Amino acid sequence: MSALDVFGYGIDLLAVLLLALGLKGLSKVRSARSANGLAALAMGLAVVGLLIQVQPSPTAWLWIAVGTAAGGLLGLLTAQRVPMTAMPETVALFNGCGGMASLLVALAVALFDPSDTTLVERISIVISVFVGAITFSGSIVAMGKLQGWIGTPGWTQSSVRHAVNITLALASLVGGVFMAAVAPEAGPAVGPLWLLVVASTLLGIGVTLPIGGADMPVVISLLNSYSGVAAAAAGFVVGSQLLIVAGAMVGAAGLILTQVMCTAMNRSLVSVLFGGALGAASGGGHVGGGGDEAGYSRIVSCSAEECAMALETAERVVFVPGYGLAVAQAQHALRELAKLLEANGSEVSYAIHPVAGRMPGHMNVLLAEADVPYEQLLEMDTINPEFPRTDVVIVLGANDVVNPDAKTDPSSPLYGMPVLEVDQARQVFVVKRSLGAGYAGIANALFELPQTAMVFGDAKAVLQQLCTELRSQGVGSKVAVAA
Amino acid sequence: MSSLDQALWVLLLGSLLGLELIGKVPPTLHTPLMSGANAISGITVLASITLIAQADGSTPLLLLGSLSLGFALFNVIGGFLVTDRMLAMFSRKKSGAGS
């Protein structure tokens, strides 16, 4: 072992240490940003250390440069251009590409460099292909569903999907076993390999497609964990311990995060993965199909003007943001309204449900962008006891997370999920585009309560109207005086 | 088989480390943490570079290696940058509240 090798190993060890510290730091608000930088630095170190150890030829440098330029540039542009509201989809897209990378590495070794593969290496190739393909196709489907490009086909809600997925899993298994069993002297086992690739790609689609949007955060987190496993398997394929350690770390940490999210939603991982879309899975009860307006009988709607009048006299106002706020990009309009109300002497806070939006923490990120003070963002356990002394609650594009059925109706598919108890407040306004069911496809009993009024419209437009109304009632001028 | 032995120990200890690293996470950080961990899983760049370096002039290996490097680096660069973008919003708001 030369001095250069020792140097390379030293850099590897440092990289592992920094990656672990980075991952740990990311779970605390104070250190999160520097921890992210630390992890990025560790990644850079790992690459430099590897380049020192393998000493690429000039041709190899050229191909490395091409890949780096293409991936780096696209990553840079995507990261800068993508709107904050599309974060979950973006993470899914990045994740899918990570899985694709592991898949390609394993494919390349299997097809074009099979001469000296051991059994262990062939098993690693199989695992890398299998998990990489599932990660890729699953993540792309998750992204498509969050973007609304892909719906939930009917057959995926029947038990047909289990038969399809079991068949695909068996096909993957057969392909994998034959692929691993063929001795290297016989050349690459091309047939079984492609069977494995195709079957596991379809399996990724088959398991993700039936899952409803409400559970999508959990799925993305799980797929994130898979991409760590795929990376670790690729580490076995090319013989890189650093890759194994980092992949295993991310795989395990992703699993924990997935569990944390499931707990927040009061769902078990098994029911998320195999239960189908929430709502569609259970018959009867308060279930309404997507966009179905039937089933509501006591809806009261009101104009922005009436809502503004209630706000003007309210001492305590709580906003409940949801995905509708993110879609409408209404966070700045919301902040403006909150400023007006504060100038008018109201106490304003924001109730953040752990899974509001399409991903835990989605609302925090969104509101932070609009400079909402951190202290005003209250988590569910803090805000719930406060609702009985709240004058006005404004629900902005949130639905399932404020459904009182989750507490009271055992037949509801949501039953048992912790919700924001906005029905305890004196007056509730629900800003919503239509009476369509929420992402989980379940009717909301909150809308029919006597203290609830619906304000139909796009969240941003309604908020701007409310600001205009309040200003015309003289609230704005007080702001001017106060300032 | 000592290298396999080692690799399996590395796998085991790495997994245990990952399980221990993340215990309690405030909901605020779920998305950034997922995004950051996702960027780290792009560490497959190492496999891609190894593949290219050991391709020995084989064009399919160079091509696939370069392609996978592109995918992995897209994950890494994009992942770290969007995580930073999300976290930057927290810190800016914090300093704003402090002043």
Side-chain angles (χ1 to χ4, degrees):
Chain A
M1 183 184 285
S2 69
L4 207 59
D5 283 339
V6 175
F7 183 58
Y9 282 123
I11 291 189
D12 277 7
L13 286 179
L14 186 62
V16 171
L17 184 70
L18 292 184
L19 275 182
L21 287 177
L23 206 51
K24 183 158 185 61
L26 270 171
S27 58
K28 293 188 183 62
V29 176
R30 196 175 294 269
S31 58
R33 196 175 179 195
S34 51
N36 185 52
L38 208 60
L41 177 71
M43 191 76 87
L45 271 179
V47 170
V48 171
L50 179 69
L51 288 175
I52 290 175
Q53 287 171 53
V54 296
Q55 301 184 343
S57 65
T59 329
W61 272 114
L62 182 70
W63 286 96
I64 290 174
V66 170
T68 306
L73 207 62
L74 277 176
L76 190 73
L77 288 177
T78 311
Q80 282 176 345
R81 298 271 169 89
V82 74
M84 270 301 148
T85 40
M87 266 319 141
E89 295 92 304
T90 311
V91 175
L93 174 66
F94 287 144
N95 191 47
C97 290
M100 185 51 138
S102 302
L103 169 69
L104 286 175
V105 168
L107 267 186
V109 173
L111 286 176
F112 302 109
D113 192 16
S115 49
D116 52 352
T117 50
T118 61
L119 178 65
V120 173
E121 277 172 335
R122 288 197 301 278
I123 293 176
S124 309
I125 288 172
V126 168
I127 295 176
S128 194
V129 167
F130 179 66
V131 182
I134 290 186
T135 307
F136 174 71
S137 61
S139 296
I140 299 304
V141 169
M143 180 182 83
K145 291 195 83 158
L146 285 173
Q147 282 279 3
W149 295 335
I150 303 174
T152 308
W155 66 268
T156 62
Q157 298 306 322
S158 67
S159 51
V160 175
R161 74 175 191 279
H162 293 305
V164 170
N165 287 337
I166 289 171
T167 311
L168 288 172
L170 284 177
S172 309
L173 188 69
V174 169
V177 167
F178 277 93
M179 163 70 209
V182 173
E185 295 80 43
V190 178
L193 183 62
W194 286 116
L195 174 65
L196 175 64
V197 171
V198 172
S200 44
T201 303
L202 290 176
L203 183 60
I205 299 173
V207 293
T208 316
L209 208 52
I211 298 172
D215 287 329
M216 224 22 115
V218 178
V219 176
I220 295 180
S221 176
L222 189 66
L223 289 169
N224 183 32
S225 168
Y226 287 178
S227 70
V229 176
F236 274 94
V237 174
V238 300
S240 160
Q241 297 199 337
L242 179 52
L243 199 48
I244 298 174
V245 108
M249 227 159 62
V250 171
L255 214 54
I256 296 284
L257 188 58
T258 309
Q259 192 53 50
V260 168
M261 287 183 190
C262 277
T263 313
M265 295 163 76
N266 197 29
R267 298 269 278 146
S268 75
L269 193 53
V270 174
S271 65
V272 168
L273 293 181
F274 304 111
L278 214 57
S282 91
H286 267 267
V287 180
D292 188 358
E293 298 194 11
Y296 290 113
S297 52
R298 298 187 300 273
I299 295 294
V300 177
S301 79
C302 80
S303 66
E305 192 183 354
E306 292 167 84
C307 180
M309 281 158 70
L311 280 174
E312 200 193 349
T313 55
E315 278 181 23
R316 204 180 137 75
V317 179
V318 174
F319 292 106
V320 180
Y323 189 61
L325 184 83
V327 171
Q329 287 280 351
Q331 63 271 34
H332 294 284
L334 173 59
R335 175 73 181 125
E336 198 188 343
L337 175 64
K339 276 186 187 158
L340 275 177
L341 291 174
E342 281 172 338
N344 192 34
S346 308
E347 187 191 340
V348 176
S349 43
Y350 304 79
I352 310 293
H353 190 278
V355 294
R358 285 289 180 271
M359 215 174 218
H362 198 175
M363 291 301 125
N364 303 71
V365 171
L366 202 66
L367 293 175
E369 195 196 347
D371 283 326
V372 170
Y374 193 69
E375 319 75 72
Q376 290 184 359
L377 302 181
L378 300 181
E379 283 173 25
M380 184 167 58
D381 297 335
T382 318
I383 193 81
N384 265 347
E386 304 285 321
F387 280 120
R389 58 177 202 87
T390 298
D391 299 302
V392 175
V393 168
I394 300 201
V395 179
L396 294 153
N399 191 344
D400 300 326
V401 298
V402 294
N403 194 334
D405 278 348
K407 286 179 303 174
T408 54
D409 180 4
S411 73
S412 167
L414 289 177
Y415 186 69
M417 178 173 108
V419 288
L420 291 164
E421 293 163 7
V422 298
D423 52 315
Q424 304 291 317
R426 267 170 224 135
Q427 216 171 355
V428 181
F429 292 96
V430 179
V431 178
K432 218 172 168 308
R433 271 185 298 197
S434 72
L435 268 183
Y439 215 89
I442 298 156
N444 195 333
L446 175 73
F447 301 167
E448 294 187 295
L449 294 177
Q451 69 267 39
T452 303
M454 309 293 294
V455 184
F456 290 114
D458 171 79
K460 188 173 180 178
V462 170
L463 285 167
Q464 282 166 344
Q465 268 177 303
L466 286 175
C467 287
T468 315
E469 288 294 338
L470 282 173
R471 284 210 185 86
S472 74
Q473 284 165 28
V475 175
S477 59
K478 285 182 208 161
V479 178
V481 171
Chain B
M1 289 302 256
S2 83
S3 79
L4 172 66
D5 219 41
Q6 261 181 21
L8 287 177
W9 276 110
V10 166
L11 180 71
L12 178 70
L13 293 177
S15 310
L16 288 178
L17 184 60
L19 289 178
E20 287 303 314
L21 277 178
I22 299 176
K24 273 174 35 188
V25 190
T28 320
L29 286 181
H30 282 179
T31 305
L33 176 62
M34 189 194 296
S35 171
N38 173 48
I40 295 176
S41 72
I43 189 122
T44 316
V45 283
L46 299 185
S48 312
I49 292 175
T50 311
L51 195 67
I52 296 175
Q54 295 170 353
D56 224 6
S58 149
T59 312
L61 279 184
L62 286 171
L63 201 66
L64 281 175
S66 188
L67 194 61
S68 75
L69 179 59
F71 272 108
L73 213 63
F74 176 67
N75 184 356
V76 172
I77 303 275
F80 279 126
L81 286 177
V82 288
T83 311
D84 189 65
R85 246 181 87 190
M86 281 188 253
L87 293 170
M89 292 189 304
F90 294 130
S91 54
R92 189 186 64 204
K93 165 207 60 211
K94 270 212 161 148
S95 63
S99 63

